[in-house]
Amino acid sequence: MPFITYLSGLLTAQMLSDDQLISGVEIRCEEKGRCPSTCHLCRRPGKEQLSPTPVLLEINRVVPLYTLIQDNGTKEAFKSALMSSYWCSGKGDVIDDWCRCDLSAFDASGLPNCSPLPQPVLRLSPTVEPSSTVVSLEWADVQPAIGTKVSDYILQHKKVDEYTDTDLYTGEFLSFADDLLSGLGTSCVAAGRSHGEVPEVSIYSVIFKCLEPDGLYKFTLYAVDTRGRHSELSTVTLRTACPLVDDNKAEEIADKIYNLYNGYTSGKEQQTAYNTLMEVSASMLFRVQHHYNSHYEKFGDFVWRSEDELGPRKAHLILRRLERVSSHCSSLLRSAYIQSRVDTVPYLFCRSEEVRPAGMVWYSILKDTKITCEEKMVSMARNTYGESKGR
């Protein structure tokens, strides 16, 4: 029915009056449209002309819709329907803090699906900047107040490169509850927990401390409920920062190689140059080449001198290692100056106080697990790149 007819019906039934209004509803008029002659609340003292059509109902405080209904039976039915619609997809009844699904609300696996399992959203932790070997990821707990009970979160991480078939290589799977919180995980991966801006929301986090520099990694996360259902996957793909380079050491090696290449080069000096260049990392070798060419290019660039002094075979073994450096890191390693720094960031390491029985994973609720956390400091070494010192 039209809204104005609904309001007139309330007036006729004497459910609205000057003395008693429905809780949470306010009657007021605005200067648009027209009021019906039956609406005495819209008339203004001292004015014969009726006010234009008002905004007749306005919610002036947050109240459940079913409280606006006066009949107790109708109110309870309306409340039950709303709760079922919001928490149980309209396919079940809310009992305490869980959903009792209808007989028709079961999936192909025979599991009740009237309470959907939300998808967790994996993201980089805003408080820990990734370094060449350390990455921190976090997600908000997706267990609703009513319905689905989350028993665990499963993390998967793998290094992705052009030589790996990502469909065949699945990477490593970690259970947040059984591996990380129990302390069974390696020293390279640790679990954390903190609270978000809303106190009721738990933020879980995982820090990976042994990744390879300049590596492309794919991280996935999904939730598992107490019945064994899996949520949709959430994925983060990122490249770790470039490998650490000691720029002063790279310049010293470039000077050493020039001195070995300069003038008559004996077999012993050739072998020393070869051993020195093979012992350094690929990124360090790239930086050595940069310094060599910056200072001594007039005597021939690094590639030409290496081939001339060491021979094509040994020079190829050295120079092909430069191909391991990504184009992104290659551009950074051409910077005029590279400086090193160490950041120390606080991180909350957490452990479970209780042992979850084997085979009972699906029936244990993660949010009810007693967790003890302590703050520790994580040191993260970084390079800064610039065109002048101090930048």
Side-chain angles (χ1 to χ4, degrees), residues 122-125 135-138 204-206 208 219 236 238:
L122 188 64
R123 66 173 186 175
L124 277 174
S125 174
V135 168
S136 179
L137 301 169
E138 67 178 33
Y204 297 108
S205 59
V206 172
F208 294 86
F219 302 88
V236 169
L238 59 87

Side-chain angles (χ1 to χ4, degrees), residues 1 98 202 236 277:
M1 65 180 69
W98 57 280
S202 294
V236 169
L277 295 174

Side-chain angles (χ1 to χ4, degrees), residues 188-239:
C188 290
V189 188
R193 180 178 181 178
S194 59
H195 290 283
E197 297 177 358
V198 182
E200 294 78 17
V201 178
S202 294
I203 305 293
Y204 297 108
S205 59
V206 172
I207 187 167
F208 294 86
K209 297 183 287 184
C210 305
L211 302 180
E212 294 182 20
D214 194 20
L216 184 63
Y217 284 87
K218 182 178 181 180
F219 302 88
T220 59
L221 173 76
Y222 63 84
V224 182
D225 73 359
T226 53
R227 296 184 175 98
R229 291 185 304 168
H230 291 187
S231 71
E232 294 293 326
L233 289 175
S234 178
T235 304
V236 169
T237 303
L238 59 87
R239 181 173 291 279

Side-chain angles (χ1 to χ4, degrees), residues 113-335:
N113 63 356
C114 69
S115 179
L117 181 57
Q119 178 189 27
V121 179
L122 188 64
R123 66 173 186 175
L124 277 174
S125 174
T127 58
V128 182
E129 179 187 353
S131 72
S132 56
T133 58
V134 180
V135 168
S136 179
L137 301 169
E138 67 178 33
W139 66 93
D141 185 27
V142 296
Q143 179 172 306
I146 295 174
T148 297
K149 305 301 178 189
V150 174
S151 69
D152 201 0
Y153 291 96
I154 306 299
L155 280 151
Q156 177 196 12
H157 68 284
K158 59 183 177 181
K159 190 172 184 291
V160 181
D161 55 47
E162 58 186 349
Y163 308 107
T164 303
D165 188 334
T166 55
D167 293 329
L168 295 178
Y169 174 59
T170 58
E172 183 179 4
F173 284 87
L174 291 170
S175 161
F176 186 75
D178 291 336
D179 296 330
L180 301 180
L181 289 181
S182 65
L184 296 179
T186 67
S187 59
C188 290
V189 188
R193 180 178 181 178
S194 59
H195 290 283
E197 297 177 358
V198 182
E200 294 78 17
V201 178
S202 294
I203 305 293
Y204 297 108
S205 59
V206 172
I207 187 167
F208 294 86
K209 297 183 287 184
C210 305
L211 302 180
E212 294 182 20
D214 194 20
L216 184 63
Y217 284 87
K218 182 178 181 180
F219 302 88
T220 59
L221 173 76
Y222 63 84
V224 182
D225 73 359
T226 53
R227 296 184 175 98
R229 291 185 304 168
H230 291 187
S231 71
E232 294 293 326
L233 289 175
S234 178
T235 304
V236 169
T237 303
L238 59 87
R239 181 173 291 279
T240 51
C242 299
L244 296 175
V245 170
D246 185 339
D247 200 36
N248 293 329
K249 184 70 174 177
E251 195 164 7
E252 291 174 6
I253 293 174
D255 290 339
K256 177 182 178 180
I257 297 300
Y258 169 72
N259 291 329
L260 290 172
Y261 285 173
N262 190 22
Y264 172 76
T265 307
S266 66
K268 180 179 179 181
E269 289 172 324
Q270 290 176 353
Q271 189 63 36
T272 299
Y274 174 77
N275 290 342
T276 300
L277 295 174
M278 288 297 288
E279 288 171 358
V280 299
S281 65
S283 54
M284 192 71 162
L285 178 62
F286 195 100
R287 192 62 181 171
V288 169
Q289 179 189 34
H290 172 81
H291 281 301
Y292 188 98
N293 290 339
S294 298
H295 299 313
Y296 310 115
E297 192 173 6
K298 61 183 177 180
F299 299 106
D301 69 10
F302 179 76
V303 173
W304 183 85
R305 291 295 294 161
S306 295
E307 291 176 343
D308 186 54
E309 295 291 344
L310 306 180
R313 186 184 70 83
K314 286 186 175 180
H316 173 70
L317 291 175
I318 293 170
L319 298 173
R320 72 177 184 179
R321 297 172 62 228
L322 296 173
E323 299 172 2
R324 301 177 188 173
V325 183
S326 67
S327 57
H328 170 67
C329 290
S330 297
S331 61
L332 291 177
L333 289 171
R334 293 189 183 94
S335 302

Side-chain angles (χ1 to χ4, degrees), residues 64-85 92-94:
L65 285 174
Y66 56 81
T67 63
L68 303 180
I69 301 173
Q70 301 301 304
D71 177 73
N72 287 337
T74 307
K75 180 186 292 188
E76 287 302 315
F78 192 26
K79 176 181 178 180
S80 176
L82 285 177
M83 296 283 281
S84 174
S85 176
D93 298 318
V94 173

